[in-house]
Amino acid sequence: MATQGFAVYETPIGHCGIAWDEHAVIGSQLPEGGEERTRARIARRFPDAVEQEPPEHVRRAVDAVRALLRGEDSPELAHVPLDFGRVPPFHARVYEVALAIPVGRTMTYGEIAAQLGDPGSARAVGQALGSNPFAPIVPCHRILAAGGKKGGFSAHGGTRTKLEILAIEGVHVEEPTLFDL
């Protein structure tokens, strides 16, 4: 079995986590409501990983996530080696499309489904993004519901976290008012 490691690191929105093997990132974690909670979650997700200093390919990913969450464009995130062998093939295809969405832009679940050649699969796209093991490297926060509505978000803090990251990227999602209901 490959040697696995993990690290927890500070960002402008809280402590994120990352796990890797010698070849690729095997998981990434948005803040869980505190450093220890993030550490516990990433350790639970990757029980064979040992907390340690990340190797160079992972340090570059950490630096890119920090830059992204400071509001800087981080195109190098699209080049982070990710281990898609641990996810279903459909999910991997969804994540590849999401990786191509530039900072400050969004797509809808339906647009991703159409790009995959399966326009009826918007719900399956949402399920794939809901189990994204690489957030925020795979930017599931950039995927909106039909009509540009915020949609759901399964990370700690829910849609509040999604809207916070989008705002950092310069995207402001209109919230419905009583007049829109």
Side-chain angles (χ1 to χ4, degrees):
M1 174 154 213
T3 303
Q4 297 179 357
F6 79 90
V8 174
Y9 58 97
E10 193 169 357
T11 74
I13 67 166
H15 287 84
C16 290
I18 193 164
W20 65 87
D21 64 21
E22 65 268 11
H23 304 293
V25 170
I26 58 176
S28 184
Q29 178 71 47
L30 283 165
E32 271 298 306
E35 180 178 1
E36 289 308 313
R37 291 178 77 181
T38 300
R39 179 174 284 106
R41 173 93 189 271
I42 200 113
R44 230 179 6 262
R45 286 178 58 203
F46 302 98
D48 295 330
V50 175
E51 188 168 13
Q52 58 188 288
E53 283 297 314
E56 183 59 31
H57 73 282
V58 177
R59 272 196 306 276
R60 284 192 304 271
V62 166
D63 290 344
V65 168
R66 283 180 170 144
L68 173 78
L69 297 175
R70 281 193 305 265
E72 301 167 16
D73 192 4
S74 295
E76 51 284 339
L77 278 174
H79 304 294
V80 171
L82 300 173
D83 182 356
F84 286 141
R86 298 167 181 263
V87 299
F90 179 80
H91 290 205
R93 291 177 52 221
V94 169
Y95 302 154
E96 287 170 357
V97 172
L99 277 166
I101 303 169
V103 172
R105 301 289 173 94
T106 61
M107 288 181 77
T108 65
Y109 301 109
E111 288 170 334
I112 289 180
Q115 189 166 331
L116 293 172
D118 189 1
S121 66
R123 185 178 301 268
V125 167
Q127 290 170 342
L129 292 165
S131 62
N132 174 13
F134 302 108
I137 296 170
V138 170
C140 52
H141 60 277
R142 295 184 191 142
I143 317 304
L144 303 175
K149 293 186 171 80
K150 62 186 173 185
F153 199 60
S154 60
H156 182 79
T159 56
R160 180 182 46 79
T161 299
K162 180 178 191 168
L163 295 173
E164 179 181 7
I165 298 170
L166 285 171
I168 289 169
E169 292 186 10
V171 175
H172 298 281
V173 177
E174 293 296 318
E175 295 289 323
T177 66
L178 287 175
F179 302 105
D180 296 325
L181 298 176

